[in-house]
Amino acid sequence: MPLDAISLRAVVEELRPQLLNLRIDKVQQPARDQVILLLRGNKRLLLNAGANAPRLQLTELLRDNPAEPPMFCMLLRKHLVGARVAEITQPGLERLVRIELDVTDDFGQPGHRTLVLEAMGRRSNLILLDGENRVIDCMRRVDADMSASRQVLPGLFYEPPASTGRLPFLEETEEGLAEKLAQVNPEIQLDRFQLDAYFGISPLMARELSFRACGETDGRLCNLDEAGRSRFQDAFFAFANCVKENQFTPIVLKREGVPFEFSALPVHQYGLAAEMETFESFSALLDSFYEAKERQERVRQRGADLIRTATTARDRVRRKLALQEKDYAATQERDALRLSGDLITANLYRMERGQSKLVCQNYYDEDLAEVTIPLDPLLTPQQNAAKYYKRYTKAKTAEKYLREQMALARRDLAYLESILQEIQQAETEQDFLDIRGEMSDAGFIRKQGKKVLQRPSKPREFKTSGGFRVLVGRNNRQNDKLTLKDADYRDLWFHVQKLHGSHVILCTNGGEPGDQDITEAASLAAYYSQAKDSANVPVDCTQVKYVKKPAGARPGMVIYTTYRTVNVTPEEDLVKRLQAGK
C-alpha cells in the first residue's frame, strides 16, 4: 500500500528530532526515483518519489549506485552537500513533506533551499526550491501538455497541489459530524461516507472506523441505531485525538507471514485472518515492508529486457532441440531403409521401370512376411535401390551429427535457464550489467558500439555462527572466478543438487568448520537457487579441489566428485542474520 497522510505524519514526527541541525555529507541516486541523503552521524535519509512506493524514511539497506550519477543527482550535490537541516514539516494532512535547508554558497554567503517530496502515487515528485520558492529543478518535469492547471518546471514559482475541497478530519466537530450524518443518504456505506466527506483519512482507516462502529467494514449508515452512531462518533474522535497527539504505533499486517498492509494505528478489521507485528520505528517498518518489493521492482524494470531476451533465446533453443530429437528418432529407423534397398536389389529380375511399388517377401523374416515398398515410377529399379541406400547412409551420418548438436542445445538450454535464475536474484545495477555482458559474450545479445562503464562486482558475503566467511557468486562468470580462481583448494564448495543456483564457498583457511557452519552455508546455496521457496532441499558439498570445469563448458558449468549431500530448508531470516554477522 502507498504511504497515507497519517503514516507520513507519523514518519515526519519520528524523523524531526533525529535530523534537525544535521549536515548533508553526500547525495546519492541509486535508482531513477530514489535519492539518499547521507547525513552526519551515519544516517541515510531515503526520499522515494516512485509511483508504487513514495515515502520518506531513514534506511539501513545499502543500495548500489550507478557508475555515472544522473544529472539530477549532480544538481542536488551542487546545492545540498554541506547544507544543514533546519526543519521538516508536513503542511496540513497533505502527502507532502518540506525539508528546509540552510546552505552556504561558493562565496560564503548564507542561503536557503527547500527539498519538497510529493508522495502522491503516480504524481509523486521530488522538487528542489531556492530561497524565493522558485523551482531549481525536479525529478519529473511537468509541462502544460501534461497538466494544464499546474506546471512544475525550472524557474517557475512552486505551487502546492490543489486542495480537494474536503474538510480535514482533524478539524471536524461533534456538531458537524452529527449534521453530516443526518443529511447524508442513509444507504451509503460508512467508509465511503468518510472518504467523500473528509480529507486525510485513508481507505484502510475508513474501513477500520466502520468496523469499530458496527462490526463490519462495509456497514451502511441505515443499519446503525443510536448506539451504533454513538460508537462511530466515539471511534472517529478517538482516532482524531490519537493523530493530534501523535500517538502512533508502527504496525505491519501479515497473511501467512507475508506483509500486505502497514499502519500508524492498530487495525482489527481482519480479525484472525491477519497477524499484527509491531516495529521499533517507522523507518525499520518501511525497510522491512519494501525490501522484497523493491527487489522485485528492480528486476521488473531493469531486468525486463534481459528476461525477454533470455526467454526468447531459451524458447528458440527448445524448439530447435525438439526438431533435432524428432530427426534423431527418425534416424533410429534407418535399418528399414537398408532393408528396402536389399529387397529391391534381390527382386530386380521381377521389376520393370515405371512401377510405383514393389510387393515381395521379406527374406530376413522367419515367416517370409509380405512387404510393400514404395517406388519412384520415374526411376529405374536400380536407381530406386540406390536411393534407399543413400537415405540409409545419410541417416547414419545424421545420427552422429544430431547427437552432437543435441548435446550443444541441451548445454545452451541449461545455461539460459541459469541466466533467468540469475536475473530473478539480481540486486544491483552492476548485477544486471554483468549478466548483460555475460549474455553478450555468449552470443545471445548483440554487442553494442558504446562501451558501458564497468566496475568490478564482488560476491555476496556472509559469516556463519562459527565465524567462517561465506562467499556467494552473483552470476555465472563470478561463479567460475570464485570457485576456480579465488577459492583455496581446502575450502568447501556448495551447490544445490540438479538445479540452477549460485556457487557458495565456505572459506575454511585450513580450519575445520562445524556442522552448524556447513548447514548455514548449505542454506545459503539453497536460498540463492531455483529451490529458494522449497523445503528439505538437497545441497551437495565437496572440497574445491574436487570441482573441475569441462573443456568448452558454458560459464558456471562444472563437474565435481567425492561429495556429500546436506538437506536444508532456506530461510530469509537466516540469510539476513548471516549477512548482518559479516
Side-chain angles (χ1 to χ4, degrees):
M1 64 167 288
L3 193 69
D4 61 31
I6 304 305
S7 297
L8 185 59
R9 178 180 177 128
V11 173
V12 170
E13 293 300 321
E14 176 182 283
L15 293 182
R16 183 180 291 112
Q18 299 184 61
L19 302 184
L20 288 184
N21 297 317
L22 293 184
R23 293 193 180 276
I24 299 175
D25 290 333
K26 293 182 181 179
V27 179
Q28 299 174 343
Q29 190 173 352
R32 182 171 59 90
D33 300 323
Q34 295 180 354
V35 167
I36 293 180
L37 305 181
L38 276 72
L39 301 147
R40 295 284 171 86
N42 198 28
K43 295 184 183 296
R44 304 168 59 85
L45 180 64
L46 170 66
L47 303 164
N48 191 315
N52 295 325
R55 64 191 187 279
L56 171 82
Q57 65 166 110
L58 288 175
T59 180
E60 297 293 334
L61 301 178
L62 298 179
R63 294 167 172 82
D64 192 63
N65 294 298
E68 297 181 0
M71 293 299 297
F72 186 62
C73 178
M74 298 294 289
L75 177 82
L76 293 180
R77 288 177 179 178
K78 175 185 176 182
H79 287 272
L80 301 186
V81 171
R84 183 180 60 84
V85 179
E87 183 58 280
I88 302 178
T89 59
Q90 178 193 18
L93 286 176
E94 295 284 353
R95 286 181 293 168
L96 182 151
V97 177
R98 291 177 64 99
I99 303 177
E100 308 295 341
L101 300 160
D102 293 333
V103 301
T104 303
D105 63 19
D106 295 336
F107 301 100
Q109 298 298 316
H112 191 79
R113 297 288 183 270
T114 303
L115 201 55
V116 180
L117 173 66
E118 297 179 351
M120 299 178 179
R122 60 185 180 86
R123 297 191 301 275
S124 298
N125 209 343
L126 185 61
I127 307 166
L128 179 64
L129 309 179
D130 64 12
E132 298 178 352
N133 211 39
R134 288 181 185 269
V135 176
I136 298 176
D137 208 344
C138 51
M139 188 170 282
R140 293 183 182 85
R141 296 183 179 184
V142 182
D143 57 20
D145 293 334
M146 300 171 66
S147 173
S149 59
R150 178 176 180 257
Q151 289 83 50
V152 184
L153 294 169
L156 298 182
F157 283 104
Y158 174 73
E159 294 290 340
S163 172
T164 62
R166 292 173 291 167
L167 178 70
F169 78 96
L170 295 181
E171 300 179 9
E172 184 57 288
T173 62
E174 293 186 7
E175 295 78 9
L177 177 58
E179 183 179 350
K180 288 183 175 65
L181 290 173
Q183 295 176 353
V184 75
N185 183 352
E187 293 296 326
I188 195 172
Q189 291 185 186
L190 268 180
D191 60 332
R192 174 49 54 188
F193 160 72
Q194 298 170 69
L195 295 175
D196 290 344
Y198 298 107
F199 175 74
I201 296 183
S202 68
L204 174 66
M205 294 314 302
R207 295 194 303 269
E208 178 66 17
L209 294 179
S210 174
F211 177 79
R212 294 180 183 181
C214 56
E216 53 186 358
T217 58
D218 56 352
R220 298 183 181 276
L221 187 60
C222 60
N223 295 331
L224 290 182
D225 53 15
E226 287 301 320
R229 291 183 178 235
S230 177
R231 286 195 303 272
F232 172 67
Q233 293 185 19
D234 292 342
F236 183 91
F237 288 110
F239 169 61
N241 288 333
C242 285
V243 175
K244 290 178 182 178
E245 297 172 5
N246 297 323
Q247 297 177 0
F248 301 117
T249 305
I251 289 175
V252 164
L253 299 171
K254 296 183 176 181
R255 287 196 185 101
E256 298 179 354
V258 179
F260 69 96
E261 293 268 18
F262 63 84
S263 171
L265 296 166
V267 176
H268 304 288
Q269 59 188 272
Y270 297 102
L272 298 177
E275 312 97 50
M276 279 195 301
E277 180 180 355
T278 303
F279 283 76
E280 294 181 356
S281 67
F282 281 98
S283 292
L285 179 154
L286 294 172
D287 262 353
S288 174
F289 188 87
Y290 284 112
E291 181 181 7
K293 296 180 183 295
E294 280 192 353
R295 183 165 58 248
Q296 294 171 358
E297 183 68 14
R298 283 196 298 272
V299 171
R300 188 187 69 80
Q301 289 182 350
R302 303 178 185 176
D305 60 331
L306 289 177
I307 291 176
R308 183 167 54 251
T309 301
T311 302
T312 301
R314 181 198 62 187
D315 294 344
R316 184 168 60 247
V317 172
R318 278 180 177 172
R319 292 192 297 269
K320 179 181 177 181
L321 181 59
L323 292 174
Q324 289 172 344
E325 289 175 341
K326 182 179 179 181
D327 292 341
Y328 183 80
T331 65
Q332 303 307 298
E333 302 174 359
R334 64 182 181 275
D335 287 340
L337 299 174
R338 184 180 62 178
L339 176 62
S340 296
D342 290 345
L343 293 177
I344 292 173
T345 302
N347 288 276
L348 286 176
Y349 68 95
R350 299 176 47 209
M351 299 174 61
E352 296 180 357
R353 183 166 186 161
Q355 285 184 233
S356 61
K357 63 181 179 179
L358 169 64
V359 180
C360 63
Q361 289 180 323
N362 182 2
Y363 301 115
Y364 296 94
D365 185 67
E366 293 180 358
D367 300 327
L368 298 178
E370 196 173 71
V371 295
T372 300
I373 302 173
L375 301 174
D376 187 343
L378 299 179
L379 301 179
T380 65
Q382 292 86 349
Q383 289 173 330
N384 270 293
K387 181 179 179 181
Y388 274 105
Y389 285 132
K390 184 177 180 179
R391 288 173 59 190
Y392 167 77
T393 304
K394 184 178 180 181
K396 186 177 181 180
T397 305
E399 180 185 27
K400 179 182 178 182
Y401 173 78
L402 286 170
R403 192 183 296 116
E404 295 173 352
Q405 293 301 309
M406 286 161 57
L408 293 175
R410 291 191 181 102
R411 181 198 69 176
D412 288 345
L413 186 60
Y415 175 71
L416 289 167
E417 291 284 1
S418 71
I419 287 288
L420 287 168
Q421 187 264 334
E422 285 177 11
I423 297 172
Q424 293 296 334
Q425 293 188 340
E427 298 172 347
T428 66
E429 180 71 24
Q430 191 60 42
D431 287 347
F432 292 103
L433 292 176
D434 289 343
I435 295 172
R436 179 177 291 277
E438 181 182 329
M439 293 182 67
S440 178
D441 292 343
F444 294 108
I445 292 181
R446 186 176 299 174
K447 292 188 177 182
Q448 300 176 348
K450 183 181 178 181
K451 187 175 181 180
V452 180
L453 182 62
Q454 295 278 353
R455 295 187 301 179
S457 62
K458 296 181 180 180
R460 301 178 181 93
E461 186 173 341
F462 304 86
K463 182 171 286 188
T464 66
S465 301
F468 288 89
R469 188 163 164 248
V470 181
L471 301 176
V472 180
R474 294 178 179 271
N475 53 69
N476 285 320
R477 289 195 299 192
Q478 194 175 86
N479 285 337
D480 278 353
K481 183 175 182 296
L482 185 61
T483 300
L484 305 173
K485 293 184 179 181
D486 297 344
D488 186 272
Y489 73 96
R490 297 167 297 179
D491 292 342
L492 294 182
W493 179 87
F494 296 81
H495 195 281
V496 67
Q497 192 178 90
K498 298 179 181 179
L499 290 173
H500 298 293
S502 297
H503 292 199
V504 175
I505 301 295
L506 177 60
C507 303
T508 63
N509 295 321
E512 191 67 32
D515 291 341
Q516 180 68 19
D517 302 308
I518 291 175
T519 300
E520 290 173 350
S523 297
L524 291 172
Y527 184 82
Y528 290 102
S529 74
Q530 289 180 316
K532 175 181 178 180
D533 299 320
S534 303
N536 202 29
V537 179
V539 176
D540 291 338
C541 167
T542 186
Q543 282 189 308
V544 170
K545 65 181 179 180
Y546 296 118
V547 182
K548 309 295 180 184
K549 189 172 187 65
R554 288 286 192 188
M557 305 300 175
V558 295
I559 56 176
Y560 53 94
T561 57
T562 319
Y563 63 91
R564 63 170 169 147
T565 301
V566 182
N567 290 299
V568 294
T569 298
E571 298 178 1
E572 187 173 358
D573 291 341
L574 174 63
V575 174
K576 291 181 178 179
R577 179 168 62 81
L578 297 180
Q579 192 170 35
K582 73 178 182 178

